[in-house]
Amino acid sequence: MNDIFQGLSQAMRLVLAFDPGLVEITLRSLHVTVTATLIASAIGLPLGAWIAVNRFRLRRYAIAVLNALMGLPPVVVGLFVYVILSRAGPLGVLGLLFTPTAMIIAQVIIITPIIASISHQAIRELWADYHDLLISLHASRSQRIGTLIWDGRRALMTAALAGFGRAIGEVGAIMIVGGNIDHATRVLTTAIALETGKGDFALALALGFVLIALAIAVNLALHILSGTERGSRW
Amino acid sequence: MVSPILPLTLDAVELRRGGKRILGPVSLTLDGEGITIVLGPNGSGKTSLLRAMHGLEWINRGHATWNGEADSVRARQAFVFQTPVLMRRSVLDCIAYPLRLDGIDRRRARDRAAELAVSVGLNATLDAPAQVLSGGERQKMALARALIRAPEVLFLDEPCANLDMASTAEIETILARTRDAGTRIVMSTHNIGQARRLADDVIFLHDGRIIESARRDAFFAGPGTLEARAHINGDLIP
Ligand SMILES: Nc1ncnc2c1ncn2[C@@H]1O[C@H](COP(=O)(O)OP(=O)(O)OP(=O)(O)O)[C@@H](O)[C@H]1O
Ligand SMILES: [Mg+2]
């Protein structure tokens, strides 16, 4: 119990003092995860919509694979990216290992299936509702997808937020590919792992509270910006 | 002048679903002007027939041929579904949607939609989400959306099923006006009075087949089949 109170008060102190170390790793966490979420959304949202509205032979397998990929163990993804990016690996020449870019790549691999799978589910329900109308009105293929994405935008935002939530709290993969290097690749989660290992529970907890607050703040900000609560019957 | 999309010809059209024949074989030609009313008991195939004509159903046997390529002539028809399809948009944007597909800008499309909402007697808040509409309002919304492209052929599947008498009368006036403006109308209904008032032709379906097809007066003067006679008299067939 004592640790928790100490952690809370230390978190307060760090935040109020705009502790430069804390600000740095918080911004890096945001940068890595927001970038990864944007890239994964750019891939996952259209992919999910595409699978929802197109009938193709391997569709059922594609959905099964997607759902299976959602459960990819981050450590394994990290290991995989490490091997690819390491000096001897196929992309070793790029020199990306132990950089934020490597962490972004790992997170994109982890959350793209989540975003694609959730958006597939949402778009499929909408497509079932709209199917007859869109066919009757002779909407073109791109008009159909455009309409479904626009009318399903709230569910799609939820998909992107689920991806963000998974990525911001992820530690296994980015620890491996980023290396938790101070002033280079240290982010909130890896710092928490480090402080816990060193036995500095108060600092680790303080960082944990900041992490949670960050996740909540991003969700709230997006929901308020998009006015989700206003149209509760949509 | 673009060539008209009619006549539509159904040649021994058959729909099979789940190993069962649910419609057909049905042969008919749709041409000229006026309103064709499709009558028949529940499950007799009215919805299936309308959907097959519009090109929404996979036809297992026979052919349905429009004067033109099946997909592109569909944009010149409109269909009011038995259960209105609500988009996750405002009422006005739902009605305006077909014009938006045609590339008409949002302002003009919404202005036109507002006019149509008035003309079908839709007195709801047009900026509210379509989901808040009552059953009858939904049907008026769907009718306004169907009329917005000024279709050459209009299919309506029980458009007055949830409407009170005043609204039904309003809709009948609009349909008569739409017919007079040259739109060919095909409509199913369970309302015999409505069929008498609106029909130029009547098709009577039983068990997936057309068992009668006649001009209105001939049909109501003396339906040739027991089933049709029972249906218009409101008898219960044992
Ligand atoms: N996809 C399907 N699979 C199996 N049976 C179907 C399918 N679609 C329609 N049917 C059956 O075909 C028959 C005709 O249905 P349809 O909806 O055309 O009837 P309807 O005349 O419009 O009836 P109602 O007056 O109740 O609207 C019904 O018995 C229905 O159960
Ligand atoms: Mg029906």
Side-chain angles (χ1 to χ4, degrees), chain A residues 129-130 132 136 143 147 151, chain B residues 51 54 88-89 97 101 129:
Chain A
D129 280 4
Y130 283 18
D132 285 354
S136 168
Q143 284 176 327
T147 297
D151 285 15
Chain B
R51 290 174 59 94
H54 188 45
R88 317 279 192 279
R89 300 183 177 206
Y97 181 71
L101 289 180

Side-chain angles (χ1 to χ4, degrees), chain B residues 42-43 45-48 82 157-158 188 190:
Chain B
N42 290 134
K46 301 180 295 297
T47 299
S48 307
Q82 189 161 5
D157 197 2
E158 296 184 38
S188 74
H190 284 291

Side-chain angles (χ1 to χ4, degrees), chain B residues 98-140:
Chain B
L99 291 186
R100 301 283 293 132
L101 289 180
D102 294 342
I104 291 169
D105 71 85
R106 186 152 186 265
R107 270 275 305 277
R108 270 185 56 206
R110 283 167 59 95
D111 287 348
R112 182 78 189 107
E115 288 168 25
L116 273 163
V118 171
S119 82
V120 301
L122 179 56
N123 302 314
T125 318
L126 297 183
D127 279 321
Q131 266 78 3
V132 308
L133 294 179
S134 73
E137 288 168 345
R138 289 175 184 201
Q139 279 175 314
K140 291 180 183 177

Side-chain angles (χ1 to χ4, degrees), chain A residues 167-191:
Chain A
I168 191 89
E170 202 283 315
V171 60
I174 56 174
M175 184 71 99
I176 296 178
V177 302
N180 192 23
I181 302 164
D182 206 5
H183 302 303
T185 58
R186 181 160 302 165
V187 292
L188 283 168
T189 51
T190 55

